[in-house]
């Protein structure tokens, strides 16, 4: 098959994917989205002949729009722009997870520092303030006191891009020093790991220790429901243990898997390419 | 082998180099983007943007 890869930076994740695709004899068209224009009538990017395009854009904004244009050109793309739009926005993710009846951290959105502070006080301390767009644990604030809350809110209101004036406030979840990342293809778990650390943030990008995690029935069911809730695809579903169950706090649509590939016994890029091959075959059946 | 555009030092490169990949200059620490592989050409990598991630 001919596979387009939308990218702006080749991480180790993309190198693993490229190696697996080439090893299986697939034609790979790397499309650096920085070098092309995407018009209503078409693009100079070589997307047209692709059986499937895989969005691996590092920048969320590029991912959202480039996939929209693929859809506009009737080029099959994973993940879909609908999935990207939900996962790229923490507000939309929270709403989708809650709509699906999933356990997810209690969340309030406020548009002024005053109403945000009221929400913070209603949760009590600590609680968490997150940017609505962002990744790798950046710009996350654990608010331990009213003084800290006032300072962070004022900084965001004064210094931030307009998106930082959408205050996303969340109940702090007392997790056991770790969270769980499950990589799934259309809701089917591929591999999972725990990410542990002393810091309240346990992102792999923050240097958390990673260990393989055995997905049980309860987690598998939550992952499948979370995947359906955001539109499916190749996803990284993040969960926290709450003592009496789990809460789903994030779903990532351009999921990184190098840490998971190292932590688990699963050949993650191989399973991902299996899934891509099946998706491409399904597209051929739909559009003969 | 290529040259760091920041400090001019030689930068050792691995065999499976890929356009779009980032390598570090061991001398000055600058993050460099591979813009060509045959022959290898390096440029300063873009700064981290707020919406980068997964």
């Amino acid at each position: 098959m001919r596979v387009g890869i939308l990218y702006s930076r080749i991480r180790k994740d993309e190198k693993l994917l490229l190696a697996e695709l080439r090893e299986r004899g697939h034609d790979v068209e790397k499309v650096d989205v920085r070098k092309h224009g995407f018009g209503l009538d078409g693009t100079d990017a070589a997307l047209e002949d692709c059986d499937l395009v895989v969005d691996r854009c590092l920048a969320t904004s590029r991912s959202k729009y480039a996939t929209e244009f693929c859809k506009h050109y009737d080029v099959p793309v994973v993940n879909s722009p609908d999935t990207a739009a939900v996962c790229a926005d923490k507000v939309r993710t929270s709403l989708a997870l809650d709509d699906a009846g999933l356990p997810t951290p209690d969340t309030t959105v406020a548009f002024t520092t005053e109403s945000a502070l009221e929400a913070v006080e209603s949760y009590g301390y600590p609680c968490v303030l997150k940017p609505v767009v962002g990744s790798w644990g950046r710009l996350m604030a654990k608010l331990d006191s009213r003084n800290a809350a006032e300072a962070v809110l004022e900084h965001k209101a004064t210094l931030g891009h307009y998106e930082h004036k959408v205050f996303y406030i969340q109940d702090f979840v007392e997790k056991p020093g770790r969270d769980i990342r499950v990589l799934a293809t259309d809701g089917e778990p591929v591999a999972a790991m725990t990410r542990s650390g002393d810091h309240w943030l346990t992102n792999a990008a923050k240097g958390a220790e990673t260990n393989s995690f055995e997905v049980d029935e309860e987690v598998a069911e939550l992952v499948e429901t979370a995947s359906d809730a955001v539109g499916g695809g190749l996803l990284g579903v993040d969960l926290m243990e709450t003592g009496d169950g789990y809460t789903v706090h994030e779903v990532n649509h351009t999921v990184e898997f190098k840490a998971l590939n190292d932590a688990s016994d699963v050949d993650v890029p191989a399973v991902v390419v299996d899934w891509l091959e099946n998706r491409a075959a399904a597209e051929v059946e739909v559009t003969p | 082998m290529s040259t760091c555009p920041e400090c001019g030092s030689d930068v050792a490169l691995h065999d499976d180099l890929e356009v779009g990949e980032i390598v570090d200059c061991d001398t000055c620490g600058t993050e460099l983007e591979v813009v060509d592989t045959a022959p290898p050409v390096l440029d300063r990598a873009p700064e981290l943007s707020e919406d980068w991630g997964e």
Side-chain angles (χ1 to χ4, degrees):
Chain A
M1 65 178 173
R2 187 169 178 80
V3 186
I5 304 283
L6 301 175
Y7 79 99
S8 55
R9 174 174 285 198
I10 299 294
R11 295 163 283 188
K12 189 180 174 191
D13 313 270
E14 283 74 42
K15 286 197 82 168
L16 290 166
L17 205 53
L18 289 167
E20 186 68 29
L21 285 164
R22 288 170 179 151
E23 202 171 291
R24 296 192 191 191
H26 297 302
D27 290 333
V28 177
E29 182 67 45
K30 285 169 62 187
V31 177
D32 184 344
V33 296
R34 297 170 299 177
K35 295 183 175 169
H36 300 282
F38 298 86
L40 300 181
D41 296 329
T43 175
D44 56 339
L47 296 173
E48 201 176 335
D49 298 330
C50 291
D51 298 304
L52 190 66
V53 170
V54 183
D55 168 35
R56 295 299 305 174
C57 288
L58 182 62
T60 300
S61 50
R62 293 169 183 165
S63 165
K64 281 169 61 181
Y65 296 117
T67 54
E68 284 287 0
F69 276 101
C70 287
K71 184 182 175 186
H72 183 67
Y73 304 144
D74 287 327
V75 176
V77 60
V78 291
N79 288 327
S80 75
D82 301 328
T83 294
V86 174
C87 295
D89 182 326
K90 288 191 177 64
V91 179
R92 292 194 62 180
T93 303
S94 289
L95 289 167
L97 296 176
D98 191 61
D99 285 346
L102 284 162
T104 193
D106 194 9
T107 301
T108 299
V109 170
F111 302 118
T112 65
T113 53
E114 293 79 11
S115 54
L117 191 58
E118 268 181 41
V120 167
E121 291 271 303
S122 74
Y123 283 117
Y125 301 98
C127 67
V128 179
L129 189 59
K130 297 180 177 179
V132 292
V133 174
S135 194
W136 300 334
R138 287 171 303 149
L139 298 175
M140 308 269 273
K142 180 183 173 192
L143 304 175
D144 291 312
S145 68
R146 185 181 174 100
N147 285 343
E150 287 174 345
V152 174
L153 290 170
E154 185 184 3
H155 278 76
K156 284 173 77 76
T158 306
L159 302 174
H161 178 266
Y162 73 87
E163 278 179 339
H164 291 292
K165 296 171 183 63
V166 179
F167 301 104
Y168 177 95
I169 304 135
Q170 207 162 59
D171 197 18
F172 180 75
V173 176
E174 285 286 358
K175 60 185 179 185
R178 68 179 199 176
D179 74 351
I180 299 161
R181 157 64 57 88
V182 183
L183 186 134
T185 49
D186 284 331
E188 181 75 29
V190 171
M193 65 180 177
T194 56
R195 305 179 296 187
S196 312
D198 294 332
H199 198 273
W200 72 280
L201 292 169
T202 50
N203 303 68
K206 291 277 186 190
E209 184 187 321
T210 55
N211 287 290
S212 182
F213 177 80
E214 194 70 34
V215 173
D216 61 23
E217 205 173 307
E218 186 180 357
V219 170
E221 202 170 302
L222 291 170
V223 167
E224 185 180 4
T225 309
S227 173
D228 289 347
V230 302
L234 172 63
L235 299 168
V237 181
D238 294 345
L239 308 94
M240 289 183 281
E241 295 149 293
T242 58
D244 58 354
Y246 300 93
T247 186
V248 183
H249 60 283
E250 202 165 297
V251 185
N252 300 277
H253 74 286
T254 49
V255 56
E256 294 171 334
F257 49 81
K258 54 184 176 292
L260 183 59
N261 197 50
D262 291 340
S264 80
D265 294 333
V266 178
D267 186 342
V268 176
V271 180
V272 170
V273 172
D274 288 343
W275 177 75
L276 294 174
E277 288 171 343
N278 289 334
R279 285 294 295 252
E283 291 293 342
V284 170
E285 281 174 25
V286 172
T287 52
Chain B
M1 191 75 80
S2 187
T3 304
C4 174
E6 185 71 21
C7 71
S9 301
D10 287 341
V11 180
L13 300 167
H14 46 87
D15 293 336
D16 63 340
L17 205 61
E18 195 77 52
V19 169
E21 190 178 347
I22 303 300
V23 296
D24 293 332
C25 173
D26 288 338
T27 305
C28 68
T30 300
E31 281 197 329
L32 302 168
E33 179 176 348
V34 178
V35 295
D36 206 345
T37 55
V41 179
L42 303 172
D43 199 357
R44 294 169 190 83
E47 292 288 325
L48 174 76
S49 285
E50 202 177 309
D51 69 335
W52 284 11
E54 54 173 341

